[in-house]
Amino acid sequence: MMLGKAAWNLAWWAVAIGLGFAGYAIFFIAPRELTMGSIQRIFYFHAATGISAYLCFFLSFLASIGYLASRQPRWDWMAVSTAEVGLAFDTVVLITGPIWAKPVWGTWWVWDARLTLAFIVELLYIAYLLLRRLSTEMDRRGMISAVFGIFAFLDVPLAYFSVRWWRTEHPGPVIAGGPNSGLDPRMWHVFAFTWLALLALMILMIRDRYRLEAMRQTVSEWKAEEELGVEMAEGKEVTQ
Amino acid sequence: MRNFWSILSAYLAAWAIFFVYSATVGRRLTRLEEELRRLKSRTGRDE
């Protein structure tokens, strides 16, 4: 069943309220972390946004495979929508990370495995979006971006698992990171709530971006039909 | 609260990116909706 415009507006409001509550929970419900102090509160947004960004890139990867297998434009629309939303989320990660790092590490940035690979992920998806602008022909653009989308995704698992595979300045995983990792239950609840709110935001953003791509296609088809109609009408006049 | 301004700037930056991105998509959608309406009225199609 398709949701109406009012229902989607309601969903946006629900997400805004959810994110507002997440902000309250981060500052007033989550306990203060003992080693880093209050600056650790950035974690709730930073980590949740990072996981959401990588989830977007994974969806883009699946959609790219879907496009190569079927050549259905809707897979291409999904691939670009998830890649663009993922890039917005990943930009948040790359901005909030250094703000967190400065008081804790004493520097904004280090070129360790995690940060370098995360930066390359960002560059690859910027390149993906720029590459799409090079071709206006739909099938050619879909093909090139699907192949590049699959290639770009190869860096995502590397970036994600880099903190497990190599010794990095970036801390190891606190969720599902082994016996010495984990979160205080209150921290975990706040993190889970924030992540759910961000996931809902991500879904709404993807839905809008997908609608945009579908509408763009309709507009270009209608324009082409209109131009064809004008040309035919002009041709008729000439023959008359 | 120590590092209050760092925390605040991180959250403001995150909100600004989400807001600006959503607003850009919204603006592009509105523009396309207007174009579709114009095309529809010119061609007299029902969609």
Side-chain angles (χ1 to χ4, degrees):
Chain A
M1 194 181 76
M2 296 292 282
L3 287 175
K5 199 175 178 183
W8 285 109
N9 283 341
L10 202 67
W12 273 105
W13 278 108
V15 167
I17 291 167
L19 285 169
F21 181 73
Y24 170 79
I26 288 166
F27 282 96
F28 300 107
I29 296 177
R32 189 173 176 275
E33 207 263 347
L34 289 175
T35 320
M36 286 182 272
S38 287
I39 193 72
Q40 181 269 349
R41 291 180 199 277
I42 291 179
F43 156 80
Y44 300 99
F45 234 68
H46 175 78
T49 315
I51 298 170
S52 308
Y54 286 3
L55 181 63
C56 277
F57 295 144
F58 179 61
L59 293 175
S60 180
F61 167 73
L62 292 182
S64 297
I65 294 174
Y67 182 78
L68 287 182
S70 69
R71 300 291 170 89
Q72 288 286 319
R74 64 186 60 179
W75 286 113
D76 181 50
W77 303 341
M78 182 53 83
V80 66
S81 307
T82 45
E84 202 177 281
V85 172
L87 192 63
F89 274 73
D90 204 43
T91 307
V92 170
V93 177
L94 289 183
I95 289 175
T96 53
I99 295 173
W100 184 6
K102 179 65 178 158
V104 178
W105 298 345
T107 180
W108 297 99
W109 189 270
V110 287
W111 291 102
D112 75 351
R114 164 56 79 90
L115 273 69
T116 307
L117 288 166
F119 185 65
I120 293 172
V121 169
E122 179 88 355
L123 293 181
L124 282 168
Y125 280 93
I126 289 172
Y128 171 87
L129 294 178
L130 290 176
L131 193 68
R132 292 184 64 87
R133 290 169 179 255
L134 293 180
S135 178
T136 49
E137 205 264 299
M138 207 191 73
D139 193 49
R140 189 177 148 79
R141 187 182 59 198
M143 271 287 289
I144 294 171
S145 8
V147 171
F148 190 83
I150 291 168
F151 165 74
F153 181 74
L154 296 179
D155 189 36
V156 173
L158 278 180
Y160 184 79
F161 288 108
S162 58
V163 287
R164 296 167 196 255
W165 292 341
W166 298 294
R167 189 182 290 272
T168 56
E169 189 77 33
H170 189 283
V174 288
I175 298 158
N180 293 323
S181 70
L183 282 173
D184 174 279
R186 274 181 303 165
M187 286 179 168
W188 171 246
H189 292 148
V190 172
F191 176 77
F193 185 84
T194 306
W195 188 40
L196 283 178
L198 282 167
L199 270 183
L201 176 70
M202 182 191 100
I203 291 167
L204 291 182
M205 281 172 142
I206 293 173
R207 182 249 174 193
D208 270 4
R209 185 60 186 79
Y210 181 89
R211 224 157 57 88
L212 178 80
E213 208 59 34
M215 213 179 272
R216 208 177 255 169
Q217 176 69 20
T218 311
V219 166
S220 69
E221 275 172 13
W222 285 15
K223 270 185 176 170
E225 279 175 28
E226 198 187 33
E227 277 166 21
L228 192 71
V230 170
E231 276 169 23
M232 282 172 73
E234 281 171 353
K236 223 181 216 176
E237 272 177 29
V238 170
T239 49
Q240 277 169 356
Chain B
M1 188 188 285
R2 266 188 74 207
N3 296 311
F4 173 76
W5 292 108
S6 296
I7 304 169
L8 188 70
S9 53
Y11 280 95
L12 288 181
W15 278 107
I17 289 166
F18 288 141
F19 182 79
V20 168
Y21 178 69
S22 299
T24 315
V25 172
R27 209 181 54 221
R28 285 188 279 174
L29 267 174
T30 311
R31 217 180 285 157
L32 279 173
E33 273 166 358
E34 277 167 14
E35 199 161 355
L36 266 182
R37 258 197 302 274
R38 213 174 45 237
L39 281 167
K40 210 187 277 185
S41 68
R42 270 215 303 257
T43 54
R45 69 166 84 210
D46 296 328
E47 206 162 343

